[in-house]
């Protein structure tokens, strides 16, 4: 009952001309596209690119597909994850950009230490 079965996109719901008779399962998008907390940023970015989604649900694991609530962020004793509840593509892009910048900065530091 709590398994993720897809995401409903509000603009598509408003454009549905069936007067509410279309089953939710037909309207649901990204049924097989989810993120998991253990997923690295690169894999998440590839998932967004493959699906063309702007936002994807985050589930506990691929088997159970239980959506993690947004309120689970920053729970006591757990480290906050980028991937909880749902995740927007912009969050992944920002994380990738920060990681790339960090790597480039680290390389510059090493080269200036070696040069000096």
């Amino acid at each position: 009952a709590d398994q993720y079965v897809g995401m409903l996109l509000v603009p598509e719901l408003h454009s549905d001309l069936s007067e509410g008779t279309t089953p939710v399962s037909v309207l649901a998008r990204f049924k097989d596209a989810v993120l998991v907390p253990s997923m690295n940023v690169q894999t998440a970015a590839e998932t967004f690119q493959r699906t063309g989604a702007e936002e994807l649900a985050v589930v506990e694991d691929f088997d159970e597909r239980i959506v993690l609530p947004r309120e689970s962020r920053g729970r006591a004793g757990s480290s906050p994850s980028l991937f909880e509840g749902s995740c927007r593509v912009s969050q992944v892009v920002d994380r990738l950009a920060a990681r790339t910048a960090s790597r480039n900065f680290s390389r510059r530091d090493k080269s200036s230490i070696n040069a000096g």
Side-chain angles (χ1 to χ4, degrees):
D2 291 339
Q3 276 191 331
Y4 175 77
V5 293
M7 187 174 286
L8 296 175
L9 304 176
V10 174
E12 289 183 16
L13 294 176
H14 286 289
S15 67
D16 178 31
L17 302 177
S18 70
E19 297 184 22
T21 59
T22 304
V24 171
S25 61
V26 172
L27 296 172
R29 301 287 180 248
F30 314 118
K31 297 173 186 176
D32 296 319
V34 294
L35 306 174
V36 294
S38 61
M39 188 177 275
N40 66 42
V41 175
Q42 183 65 41
T43 303
E46 291 167 359
T47 303
F48 276 110
Q49 184 176 15
R50 178 176 45 81
T51 62
E54 287 292 319
E55 186 169 4
L56 291 171
V58 181
V59 298
E60 287 182 19
D61 58 55
F62 291 115
D63 296 325
E64 296 293 321
R65 298 175 61 92
I66 305 297
V67 177
L68 292 175
R70 289 178 187 238
E71 295 79 38
S72 67
R73 293 181 189 198
R75 287 179 297 210
S78 70
S79 59
S81 169
L82 173 65
F83 309 120
E84 290 181 1
S86 66
C87 181
R88 298 193 60 77
V89 68
S90 59
Q91 291 173 290
V92 174
V93 170
D94 290 347
R95 181 68 65 94
L96 278 173
R99 189 173 72 179
T100 302
S102 175
R103 282 187 190 150
N104 291 341
F105 184 72
S106 177
R107 285 186 192 130
R108 280 194 302 256
D109 284 350
K110 289 177 184 174
S111 64
S112 65
I113 291 170
N114 294 336

